[in-house]
Amino acid sequence: MAPEPKVPGTVYLDHAGATLFPQSQLTSFTNDLMENVYGNPHSQNISSKLTHDTVEHVRYRILEHFHTSTEDYSVIFTAGSTAALKLVAEAFPWVSPGPESNGSRFCYLIDSHTSVVGMRKVTTAMNVTSIPVRPEDVRAAETRGTAASDPDCQLPHLFCYPAQSNFSGTRYPLSWIGEVKAGRMCPMSVPGKWFVLLDAASYVSTSPLDLSVHQADFVPLSFYKIFGFPTGLGALLVNNRVAPLLRKTYFGGGTAAAYLAGEDFYIPRQSVAERFEDGTISFLDVIALKHGFDALERLTGGMENIKQHTFTLAQYTYTALCALRYPNGAPVVRIYSDSEFSSPEVQGPVINFNVLDHSGNIIGYSQVDKMASLYNIHVRTGCFCNTGACQKHLGISDEMVRKHLEAGHVCGDDVDLIDGHPTGSVRISFGYMSTLEDAQAFLRFIIAMQLHQCDGQPLPPTTPGEVGAPSESEAQDAVPATVDRCSSSPWEDAPTDSGVSNDLPTTVAAVGLHPPLPMATRTQQIPSEKAAGVLDGGLGPRVITNLYLYPIKSCAAFEVTKWPIGSQGLLYDRSWMVVNHNGVCLSQKQEPRLCLIQPFIDLPQKIMVIKAKGMEPIAVPLEENGERTQICQSKVCADRVNTYNCGEKISSWLSRFFGHPCQLLKQSSNFQRSAKKRVKDQSAGSTATLSLVNEAQYLLINRPSVLELQQQLNASDANGKEELFPMKELISRFRANIITSGTSAFEEETWDEISVGSLRFQVLGPCHRCQMICINQQTGQRNQNVFQKLSESRARKVNFGVYLTHTSLDFSSPAFLSVGSQVLPVLKENTEHHELPASTEHQDVIS
């Protein structure tokens, strides 16, 4: 197998979510479009006929891929597998309960995708009973050979199950299809005829499916899971024996043989595809499938090779993960699986797990995801649109799901632990272009994250001369990891016929643990501190030692000693943002070099001067010209904001610096973006307004908190090889507006509100940190130690600093914040509070 190279330095392990496409596939497709004219297939001209014939050829190619033909199956193109499932739910010949029967039954495996479970809303509207069944109940029925009591009854029932669980990768027997259809096995014992829907979306991405043997009635697919491109295109494969039973109400363009506009007369087209493909299909995307099949065959030799290749990688990784132990013998991960990865017949290339600490406590998936991103490893987290499997494996009861919702947790968010219990997990999955190096990079990441400070015995060294074996000096630098000596080695049972296992190393820690660091182009210069004599980490009165604003979101700080307050926070703080060619806001997560862009605001001149090494300074007006400004809509943290483009000149400047198209947008001055977090005692309809910040108007950090982290980071520098962290450099990583000199570390988290002169600020809560704190704000380079050490010391929640919003601000006269001003906190209830005497020396508000 010779997959084309991926983006250098990227370890992509979410192939079950969406696989990647090779460059050759895209090149072939675009060449096709440039060399041919494809018209609407509902016309009769030459270009339309070409489209129709090409689409029909692709239908044949799809059926051939699944070892069947148009004699047995029809291909209905849909927007994806979800749309295919919805089509079945709406068109299946359900029978509602009545005097002569109890009606149809809809049974689905609990380990099913949300889109399958969602079919029950359609059946409920028809008064049809929906019944979730457990895999063990189906297996019990398989053993009993349960059959319907009346074989002549034709009452239609539908059983849905996945060929492969998208949660754990468990593969369910394809033999169930024939057993259920033949009546030898039933999900539940009711008279009638059972039809089978096989959810193959996850399975067929890495395995062959032979529909000539396993003749399911309905097979939904999503092609991006197989080819990576195109997205938004799927299909429903319908067994032709079942097609005449399907019912359809709505009819769209292209589906009618004839109809009348003035009366209820409609005759559908003959073929099932023409009847159910309402409107013009996405014909160019369908044509792209041909090139997907060609690339897949050319690069891999077929699905059987993909099946063996991906399973070998998963089996190797699974065995290595199972072997990892802390020095006290505790496992490093907890894997959620119904198999022991013994065969690709029972297990797909998916590993679902949670990381544990040395005491067996689960580390939230959100923290693992953030750490993985520092190594440029792409994983999937959450419940993966499969609540049934998530509840089963994680032990989440129905009542807990409801309580989690009440606590604010919804599907897809980053609330990973509630009362110490996980709400989801981490999933990695392999595709045909995955490599042994991908698996090893992931294992090195887990070892570096969890075992980098353990004193356990290192893994056994590799055999001299073995492919991939490190030199003696490299082996000494390898991070030690402890292996469960009772567990089998990750290379012991690996298949030898895939071309992967021959190069497996005999130690997980054989390769160095240094993720690639983005190169920066220059060193950023930050103005010197003007802290009015306040020392780093000083324990004197609480005062403001530094003030920063960040005029351009994610760009460098602009340090001031006194600055006016606006309705959204410090005046002009995060008023601008850099967007890419698609208008998407850029942050340092995607573009670390943003920190090298230095904005300076000149209030008297009403301009912002932007500088960067190797670039001529450029000026941008602070306010828009109302007559010539065209307002456009953008998104920031899921909020819609009105912005305007700052012009072609600055766009060209930014594009030259970054090497790709960029624009500078400014939030419109008359647009009000409301904060999501309501201030205590705030009247209804009176919410704080925000600039382009993520969460709140202000972010405050406390020097003693930074000092404690600095001491932990520098103390962990046992061998002298890691970089030391100066106080100012650490402070800059947290990108706060207000820096205070407190009396103790993390005391700010006990504050309910603060006063600075006549200004009052409500504390909204802690700032949950992401991987941006790993970026050195002077160089743009990453160092994951900051995030990792903070995660370890702060019970894995990585909180640092607190959000503030001002309360009852009077704009009848100007207000300012100044360095040297005293900060007077009010503690939360039930927290001991020592009042500090008010000082007139540092009054900062000028009215």
Side-chain angles (χ1 to χ4, degrees):
M1 185 173 299
E4 295 176 11
K6 307 184 296 296
V7 177
T10 298
V11 179
Y12 184 82
L13 295 175
D14 187 27
H15 292 274
T19 197
L20 305 177
F21 57 85
Q23 181 179 350
S24 61
Q25 175 186 346
L26 200 59
T27 300
S28 178
F29 173 52
T30 53
N31 288 341
D32 188 351
L33 296 185
M34 296 300 292
E35 295 167 3
N36 296 282
V37 177
Y38 292 106
N40 190 310
H42 292 162
S43 298
Q44 295 298 317
N45 57 54
I46 297 174
S47 60
S48 299
K49 187 67 167 60
L50 176 63
T51 301
H52 177 272
D53 292 346
T54 307
V55 167
E56 293 309 302
H57 171 76
V58 173
R59 293 190 205 268
Y60 300 149
R61 188 76 178 268
I62 292 169
L63 295 177
E64 180 185 3
H65 182 78
F66 295 110
H67 305 279
T68 187
S69 68
T70 54
E71 294 181 2
D72 295 318
Y73 281 89
S74 295
V75 178
I76 302 173
F77 287 114
T78 66
S81 58
T82 294
L85 290 164
K86 183 172 180 283
L87 189 157
V88 174
E90 295 172 342
F92 189 79
W94 305 108
V95 175
S96 300
E100 299 181 358
S101 76
N102 291 325
S104 299
R105 296 290 190 273
F106 170 51
C107 287
Y108 57 90
L109 210 64
I110 281 184
D111 186 0
S112 287
H113 193 278
T114 301
S115 299
V116 171
V117 180
M119 295 171 68
R120 72 186 183 196
K121 295 297 287 185
V122 178
T123 63
T124 299
M126 301 185 66
N127 205 22
V128 170
T129 302
S130 299
I131 303 158
V133 293
R134 300 178 303 171
E136 51 266 35
D137 294 334
V138 180
R139 293 189 178 100
E142 184 179 22
T143 304
R144 293 193 308 268
T146 306
S149 56
D150 184 1
D152 295 327
C153 179
Q154 295 298 301
L155 186 66
H157 309 296
L158 182 64
F159 173 52
C160 299
Y161 80 97
Q164 174 178 295
S165 168
N166 72 306
F167 182 92
S168 64
T170 296
R171 287 183 169 169
Y172 294 102
L174 297 177
S175 60
W176 286 359
I177 298 170
E179 294 292 307
V180 170
K181 291 182 64 175
R184 293 188 294 271
M185 182 185 88
C186 297
M188 59 181 300
S189 185
V190 292
K193 181 176 181 180
W194 284 93
F195 296 85
V196 178
L197 183 152
L198 182 71
D199 180 4
S202 179
Y203 180 85
V204 298
S205 62
T206 54
S207 283
L209 175 63
D210 191 340
L211 291 180
S212 68
V213 177
H214 306 291
Q215 297 189 355
D217 297 298
F218 308 101
V219 183
L221 309 167
S222 284
F223 290 110
Y224 71 91
K225 292 183 180 290
I226 305 174
F227 306 122
F229 176 85
T231 58
L233 180 67
L236 177 67
L237 309 187
V238 181
N239 193 308
N240 288 337
R241 291 192 295 272
V242 180
L245 302 178
L246 298 181
R247 302 178 300 199
K248 191 166 183 283
T249 51
Y250 173 82
F251 64 93
T255 64
Y259 76 96
L260 290 174
E263 61 179 85
D264 188 10
F265 174 76
Y266 163 70
I267 303 298
R269 288 185 177 270
Q270 287 298 310
S271 78
V272 64
E274 289 177 318
R275 290 207 312 271
F276 283 92
E277 291 174 353
D278 290 303
T280 301
I281 61 173
S282 186
F283 56 88
L284 293 182
D285 287 334
V286 172
I287 293 170
L289 296 181
K290 172 194 177 297
H291 303 281
F293 281 116
D294 291 344
L296 201 69
E297 287 290 329
R298 183 182 70 256
L299 294 173
T300 70
M303 295 304 297
E304 186 61 36
N305 290 342
I306 294 175
K307 173 183 174 181
Q308 295 299 329
H309 172 76
T310 55
F311 175 74
T312 300
L313 291 174
Q315 184 187 53
Y316 163 71
T317 308
Y318 167 81
T319 311
L321 284 174
C322 290
L324 288 179
R325 293 288 187 272
Y326 288 102
N328 64 0
V332 173
V333 299
R334 178 180 299 158
I335 295 177
Y336 307 111
S337 175
D338 297 310
S339 79
E340 295 183 354
F341 285 70
S342 59
S343 162
E345 307 307 319
V346 298
Q347 178 65 47
V350 176
I351 304 174
N352 197 306
F353 65 96
N354 267 318
V355 178
L356 309 175
D357 64 18
H358 66 278
S359 299
N361 300 312
I362 288 177
I363 298 170
Y365 61 75
S366 179
Q367 302 309 313
V368 177
D369 190 18
K370 290 175 182 177
M371 284 299 300
S373 68
L374 300 179
Y375 290 77
N376 210 5
I377 296 175
H378 301 231
V379 300
R380 182 82 176 265
T381 59
C383 267
F384 322 103
C385 295
N386 191 331
T387 299
C390 195
Q391 285 187 258
K392 170 192 170 184
H393 287 285
L394 273 63
I396 303 175
S397 67
D398 294 349
E399 184 60 28
M400 290 171 70
V401 172
R402 293 185 177 94
K403 287 184 177 179
H404 291 172
L405 179 62
E406 292 173 0
H409 170 58
V410 296
C411 291
D413 67 16
D414 59 357
V415 180
D416 47 20
L417 294 171
I418 297 179
D419 296 330
H421 199 284
T423 64
S425 54
V426 183
R427 186 187 74 185
I428 62 170
S429 49
F430 298 95
Y432 76 80
M433 68 290 296
S434 299
T435 64
L436 175 61
E437 287 74 20
D438 292 337
Q440 291 175 331
F442 169 74
L443 291 169
R444 291 197 300 269
F445 154 65
I446 293 294
I447 293 170
M449 183 175 74
Q450 294 306 111
L451 299 174
H452 66 290
Q453 286 188 322
C454 291
D455 297 322
Q457 296 297 317
L459 291 164
T462 55
T463 303
E466 182 178 346
V467 175
S471 66
E472 185 174 346
S473 60
E474 288 172 331
Q476 291 174 352
D477 290 337
V479 173
T482 302
V483 172
D484 180 4
R485 302 295 175 180
C486 299
S487 301
S488 59
S489 300
W491 53 90
E492 212 167 61
D493 300 319
T496 57
D497 57 351
S498 91
V500 173
S501 58
N502 292 338
D503 294 336
L504 297 187
T506 55
T507 171
V508 172
V511 188
L513 299 170
H514 303 290
L517 299 177
M519 296 303 295
T521 57
R522 70 180 183 90
T523 300
Q524 177 189 9
Q525 301 297 322
I526 290 182
S528 60
E529 289 194 48
K530 299 175 182 177
V534 179
L535 299 177
D536 285 347
L539 300 181
R542 300 177 184 91
V543 297
I544 296 177
T545 66
N546 303 83
L547 280 175
Y548 298 100
L549 60 148
Y550 306 84
I552 306 175
K553 187 177 178 66
S554 258
C555 289
F558 175 49
E559 185 172 10
V560 296
T561 56
K562 177 182 176 182
W563 198 256
I565 293 219
S567 61
Q568 300 171 337
L570 291 173
L571 190 63
Y572 296 118
D573 181 47
R574 276 103 170 176
S575 290
W576 291 264
M577 64 180 177
V578 179
V579 299
N580 67 8
H581 63 289
N582 291 322
V584 176
C585 177
L586 294 179
S587 76
Q588 291 182 27
K589 296 177 186 177
Q590 304 91 22
E591 182 53 86
R593 290 181 298 163
L594 280 166
C595 69
L596 306 179
I597 300 290
Q598 295 180 296
F600 300 88
I601 290 183
D602 188 332
L603 289 177
Q605 295 296 322
K606 298 182 180 181
I607 60 171
M608 175 174 64
V609 178
I610 305 173
K611 299 179 180 180
K613 186 176 181 180
M615 305 288 291
E616 289 292 326
I618 186 171
V620 175
L622 293 182
E623 300 297 341
E624 66 263 41
N625 184 330
E627 297 179 359
R628 295 181 297 171
T629 301
Q630 183 175 357
I631 301 299
C632 57
Q633 292 192 346
S634 306
K635 264 198 170 183
V636 172
C637 297
D639 290 342
R640 179 187 61 83
V641 293
N642 283 358
T643 60
Y644 67 89
N645 194 310
C646 294
E648 183 60 35
K649 187 176 178 181
I650 182 61
S651 295
S652 299
W653 191 94
L654 290 168
S655 300
R656 288 198 306 274
F657 180 79
F658 290 115
H660 53 81
C662 295
Q663 294 178 324
L664 184 69
L665 304 184
K666 184 180 185 294
Q667 184 175 0
S668 178
S669 58
N670 58 6
F671 178 78
Q672 300 291 312
R673 177 187 171 212
S674 297
K676 295 183 176 68
K677 296 182 179 180
R678 184 174 292 275
V679 179
K680 185 178 64 175
D681 303 327
Q682 192 174 50
S683 60
S686 174
T687 57
T689 59
L690 302 179
S691 61
L692 302 177
V693 295
N694 287 355
E695 296 282 346
Q697 293 175 338
Y698 303 88
L699 177 60
L700 176 148
I701 63 173
N702 187 16
R703 281 180 171 268
S705 305
V706 183
L707 180 62
E708 182 172 297
L709 176 62
Q710 180 193 41
Q711 291 169 344
Q712 292 170 345
L713 283 166
N714 293 342
S716 65
D717 179 24
N719 56 17
K721 293 184 179 179
E722 298 294 332
E723 68 173 281
L724 296 176
F725 294 88
M727 187 71 166
K728 186 161 182 82
E729 194 270 308
L730 260 186
I731 286 175
S732 69
R733 289 173 180 258
F734 293 102
R735 299 180 62 80
N737 299 111
I738 303 171
I739 318 297
T740 64
S741 60
T743 59
S744 60
F746 302 107
E747 65 169 330
E748 63 274 17
E749 295 182 359
T750 67
W751 299 347
D752 187 55
E753 60 181 63
I754 65 170
S755 295
V756 183
S758 61
L759 288 172
R760 290 180 56 219
F761 299 88
Q762 179 73 46
V763 178
L764 299 179
C767 175
H768 306 298
R769 292 299 178 168
C770 68
Q771 58 268 32
M772 268 181 62
I773 64 174
C774 296
I775 299 173
N776 184 313
Q777 296 297 300
Q778 283 74 51
T779 67
Q781 292 187 328
R782 299 178 192 265
N783 184 316
Q784 68 270 17
N785 290 347
V786 178
F787 187 95
Q788 193 158 329
K789 181 57 65 176
L790 186 61
S791 175
E792 292 168 0
S793 63
R794 305 239 63 209
R796 302 291 177 183
K797 289 316 293 181
V798 203
N799 294 338
F800 201 92
V802 291
Y803 289 121
L804 307 176
T805 188
H806 44 55
T807 60
S808 61
L809 192 62
D810 181 9
F811 286 108
S812 60
S813 55
F816 297 85
L817 277 177
S818 300
V819 167
S821 301
Q822 188 170 3
V823 177
L824 299 176
V826 175
L827 303 194
K828 297 176 182 177
E829 294 181 3
N830 303 319
T831 303
E832 187 178 359
H833 179 31
H834 300 285
E835 289 287 350
L836 292 176
S839 171
T840 58
E841 182 180 356
H842 297 299
Q843 292 300 318
D844 61 286
V845 178
I846 301 175
S847 300

